[in-house]
Every structure is written in C-alpha cells, then in structure tokens.
Amino acid sequence: MLKAIKSVFSRRSGSVALALPIALAVATASMIPIAHSADITPVVPFEKYFADQRGDGKYLRFNAFSGDIPGKRIKALLRSGQVIGDRILLSEDVAVYFPDGYIVQSQARFGKYIPKTGITVGGVVKRDHLTENPRYALVERFDAILGKECARTEYANGFAALRIKTDGVMSLVLETSGLYDALVDEQTTTYSVTSAVQPVFMGNQGLVPDLIAQCGRG
C-alpha cells in the first residue's frame, strides 16, 4: 500500500515527501470503524461547485481512495490527534479525513470576511486587512448542496443544525458569531460544516445522535 500511495502522489504532484506522511497514517490506522471504497458513492459537499470553478469536472466522493486526491489540490497536512497525514486541507480550504485511507468526512468553514491575500489570520488587526469572502454566497445554497435542515438546537453561544440529503450525506452545521465582527462593526454568522455518510464520523457524539433523532421524528 505504501508503494502504491507513493507512486500516485509522485506521479501527480512530484512530491514524495508529501505522500509519505499520508501513506504512514493510512497504513497504521486500525482502531476505528473502517470505510470501504464503493463503485458509486456520494459526492463530498461543495466539490461540484469547486470543480466548476476549476473547470476540470473532477470531484471527490466519500469512500474514495485518498491516493486519488490530485497532489495539486493538497494545500497542507493537518494533525488528527497524534497523527499527521490522515487529514488534509484542500486548496479550496476544505479539510477531508481518511483514517484508513478512504475519505469519510469533510469540513468547511464559511465566514463573511476573510484576510486579504498575503495576510494571515493572526495578522488581521484592522478592517483594511479584510475582504468579503466570495464563497460566503454558498450559504444561500445550503438547501441544494447539503439538503434541507431537519433539526436545530441552541449550542455553544450559537446554534447547531443537521441537514440530510437524499444520497445519505448528513451535515452538521454550527453557527457562531463572525470572527471579525468587532473589526467590521457588523454582526455576521460563521458556518462550520462537518459532513459524512456514517454518523460515527460526524464527530460531536454528544450532539449528533439527538439531532438525528429529531430528523427521524420530523
């Protein structure tokens, strides 16, 4: 398996160094539920939109092999507990998680304002450092992309909502105050979206089962 992953990333990105941490994480993870590749599985949320933006018509699916992620789409390796390489940040700032080598979860965050190019989050100290996030418009398309909201509750000084699509993808959406509200003198909402097909990969197991139950009653 290590040779296969190394070959894929070497061929597509020319970066063996990037492939090895991912390969090691895939090869060593064995203590969690296993997802298996399937012929037809649901598309990861927002992938079709990003594919249209890139103009390549290619998008990731849940349970797809992580080695099939094009190297040019990998922005950074992320840490999952003590493991580095079983979660990556895509170039579109969506994180995907593949603990046993197959994609089981995606995470995306949508704030109304983001730092301007060349300015880090920590470097934002005034309004002029910010620009409106063009992807914030996707919030208005949540019903089409994530499915209709079927449960909602107050959570952590904000709200948590669950959306379930007919293809089986469920999305937990946490709504919190905007990170830069004080700087822009405006009340905004940040939406943090965690999506998966299997509830065990949704995280927040103290919240998700109740929301799933509410959706079932609805």
Side-chain angles (χ1 to χ4, degrees):
M1 180 178 289
L2 296 183
K3 290 183 178 179
I5 299 175
K6 178 177 177 181
S7 174
V8 170
F9 277 83
S10 297
R11 185 169 63 252
R12 298 192 179 186
S13 69
S15 175
V16 174
L18 183 62
L20 290 179
I22 297 176
L24 291 174
V26 170
T28 56
S30 61
M31 298 303 292
I32 57 178
I34 295 177
H36 296 284
S37 180
D39 292 333
I40 300 177
T41 54
V43 175
V44 173
F46 310 110
E47 275 290 288
K48 290 184 177 181
Y49 169 81
F50 294 137
D52 288 342
Q53 295 293 301
R54 294 191 306 270
D56 60 16
K58 299 178 180 179
Y59 38 80
L60 302 176
R61 293 179 177 271
F62 284 108
N63 290 346
F65 179 47
S66 59
D68 290 336
I69 301 173
K72 63 183 179 181
R73 290 196 62 190
I74 299 175
K75 185 175 181 179
L77 299 180
L78 303 178
R79 180 180 294 276
S80 179
Q82 297 300 313
V83 178
I84 296 178
D86 63 354
R87 188 187 300 271
I88 61 173
L89 184 66
L90 299 173
S91 54
E92 296 84 4
D93 289 327
V94 175
V96 291
Y97 178 45
F98 41 90
D100 70 329
Y102 297 91
I103 299 171
V104 297
Q105 181 202 81
S106 70
Q107 292 184 314
R109 179 175 297 169
F110 300 92
K112 185 174 181 180
Y113 296 95
I114 56 176
K116 290 182 177 178
T117 302
I119 299 177
T120 64
V121 173
V124 175
V125 296
K126 58 182 180 179
R127 174 67 177 82
D128 190 52
H129 288 165
L130 299 170
T131 185
E132 290 199 21
N133 181 4
R135 292 175 181 167
Y136 198 68
L138 288 173
V139 172
E140 299 298 322
R141 297 173 58 184
F142 275 4
D143 282 356
I145 296 174
L146 304 177
K148 296 286 187 179
E149 181 180 301
C150 57
R152 168 176 287 266
T153 186
E154 293 185 3
Y155 180 75
N157 298 318
F159 295 92
L162 187 67
R163 295 170 175 269
I164 302 178
K165 288 195 69 176
T166 55
D167 62 7
V169 176
M170 58 185 67
S171 297
L172 175 65
V173 182
L174 301 182
E175 302 174 12
T176 57
S177 297
L179 178 62
Y180 304 110
D181 283 3
L183 288 179
V184 299
D185 192 25
E186 180 182 347
Q187 289 187 337
T188 67
T189 302
T190 294
Y191 300 85
S192 299
V193 182
T194 300
S195 303
V197 176
Q198 302 177 51
V200 69
F201 294 116
M202 289 288 290
N204 206 325
Q205 292 304 306
L207 176 65
V208 171
D210 288 341
L211 290 175
I212 291 177
Q214 288 183 42
C215 287
R217 291 194 298 269

